[in-house]
Amino acid sequence: MAPHRDLSPDDCRNCQRVFAALQEHQLADPETHLTTEAIGRVVGLKKRATQDHLAHLFAHSRIDADRRTPLAGGIGQPVLPGAQQWAASVVAPDPTCAKCLIALAGHGWEGQVHMEELARAAGVSLRTVERHRPHLIAADLVYFRPSTVREPGSGFVTGRRPDRYTLMSGLTAPRLEGPAWAEAPERAASVIERVRWFVPADDDMAAFEEQRELAVRSVTWCMRNGWPEEALLKALDASENRQAYRPGGYLSKLLRKLPVEYVIPAREVFTKHAPQRKTQCPICRQPVKTRLPGRVLCGGAVCLNPDEAVLTNPAAPIFKIA
């Protein structure tokens, strides 16, 4: 018998059963997200076998990138907009990491998400997400940062919100060379000038000037290692309302938290070199300016004017997604 990967899903009986189970569930309860174990119980397969058949169906454009939504015959795998399009093309550390990355990209280039919500979207357990999360971080594909709840007035931490995340490209910025290397001190001084809390804490201007000179050297070192001005300013000016007792010491503390090399965010890599083009929304025919490839709707991933849809076949039905 031919290996499973050489078969079409139409010739694989287990793929047919998995696809039928997804179709039945979509009709019966589309709001509930099936886990891999639940699909396996329905079709009588173990978890690993179920994962293999889901991957086979996705590879042949029979289900969507979430590995749960069956696609109508003949339409093929749709072009995923923005972040999901990027995530589907990334070489992740393993297939489970790829599923988690695509599910996370469904929330956007950056945002805030519960790990339980991510597990449901990826169709895996919470324990699986927590086990593969460090793999995505180590591969520089996602950057997580904690989000705490502080008590008004005192500033004490009283709780924790879902972690914030940013999709990263895994590519590091190159070190400066030539004229850019020589211009770094001047640009670093302009960054220090824009940090709102870096002001004299007392009347000792001589000590402040010494701290400022050391701060410029530190920022210059970061910039020569590839850190752009905007990213450094965002990292340093996060505490804009703080009155630092020793501005130079506080700045050094913030810089020590930054990695040596600057990992470029995925959105910047995805859109930076793409030229802006004019196109039309394929549904309502409204003009659209975009840097994304393929067919782009006027709202990015959705059409903002579905009531103005232009049909080539007037008798064709109109489907609206709630």
Side-chain angles (χ1 to χ4, degrees):
M1 182 177 179
H4 176 263
R5 62 179 179 272
D6 296 335
L7 293 175
S8 167
D10 294 330
D11 300 326
C12 178
R13 184 168 300 178
N14 286 330
C15 280
Q16 295 175 9
R17 293 162 59 191
V18 170
F19 187 80
L22 294 176
Q23 284 185 315
E24 292 178 3
H25 178 76
Q26 188 180 42
L27 294 175
D29 189 7
E31 300 298 326
T32 303
H33 201 83
L34 279 177
T35 63
T36 305
E37 293 87 344
I39 299 174
R41 287 194 296 267
V42 172
V43 299
L45 294 174
K46 293 184 178 180
K47 179 180 177 181
R48 183 59 183 269
T50 305
Q51 290 175 337
D52 289 342
H53 291 291
L54 288 172
H56 194 211
L57 288 168
F58 174 69
H60 285 76
S61 302
R62 300 303 173 86
I63 57 177
D64 206 346
D66 60 2
R67 305 294 206 277
R68 296 298 181 271
T69 305
L71 300 175
I75 68 173
Q77 178 67 23
V79 176
L80 301 176
Q84 279 197 308
Q85 182 179 353
W86 166 82
S89 64
V90 168
V91 179
D94 55 70
T96 304
C97 284
K99 288 198 296 185
C100 294
L101 186 64
I102 292 175
L104 191 61
H107 296 272
W109 295 107
E110 57 184 356
Q112 195 169 12
V113 62
H114 282 283
M115 290 299 102
E116 294 85 352
E117 184 180 0
L118 177 60
R120 289 195 298 269
V124 297
S125 65
L126 175 60
R127 183 178 178 182
T128 299
V129 170
E130 292 174 345
R131 186 169 65 250
H132 288 272
R133 169 173 160 161
H135 302 167
L136 292 172
I137 296 174
D140 287 330
L141 294 176
V142 185
Y143 171 66
F144 287 99
R145 53 195 179 279
S147 178
T148 56
V149 179
R150 296 183 178 273
E151 183 179 351
S154 65
F156 292 113
V157 176
T158 58
R160 181 169 177 174
R161 296 188 181 94
D163 289 347
R164 297 187 179 276
Y165 74 90
T166 302
L167 299 180
M168 309 301 290
S169 66
L171 305 175
T172 56
R175 289 172 57 88
L176 298 183
E177 296 179 354
W181 178 280
E183 296 171 0
E186 182 180 351
R187 293 167 53 199
S190 67
V191 170
I192 297 298
E193 291 294 333
R194 294 162 64 187
V195 177
R196 285 169 280 188
W197 52 263
F198 200 90
V199 294
D202 49 35
D203 297 332
D204 191 356
M205 292 300 298
F208 175 74
E209 287 299 327
E210 182 180 355
Q211 293 183 40
R212 183 180 180 279
E213 182 179 352
L214 293 174
V216 170
R217 291 182 184 178
S218 300
V219 175
T220 299
W221 185 86
C222 292
M223 296 181 69
R224 285 174 172 171
N225 276 280
W227 279 84
E229 297 178 35
E230 296 78 7
L232 282 172
L233 185 63
K234 183 178 180 180
L236 295 177
D237 212 20
S239 305
E240 59 184 66
N241 296 323
R242 180 184 178 93
Q243 292 183 350
Y245 176 70
R246 291 179 59 251
Y250 183 55
L251 182 137
S252 298
K253 179 181 178 181
L254 293 178
L255 289 180
R256 282 196 298 268
K257 296 180 179 179
L258 302 179
V260 174
E261 295 181 312
Y262 175 71
V263 180
I264 306 174
R267 173 162 49 186
E268 184 177 341
V269 173
F270 186 79
T271 60
K272 183 177 181 180
H273 301 292
Q276 191 177 62
R277 61 188 179 92
K278 294 182 179 180
T279 183
Q280 284 186 338
C281 175
I283 297 179
C284 64
R285 305 301 185 194
Q286 293 294 326
V288 179
K289 291 183 179 181
T290 181
R291 295 183 183 274
L292 301 178
R295 302 174 66 191
V296 180
L297 303 182
C298 55
V302 296
C303 176
L304 302 179
N305 308 289
D307 295 331
E308 300 177 13
V310 179
L311 299 177
T312 56
N313 180 9
I318 299 177
F319 299 95
K320 294 184 179 180
I321 302 177

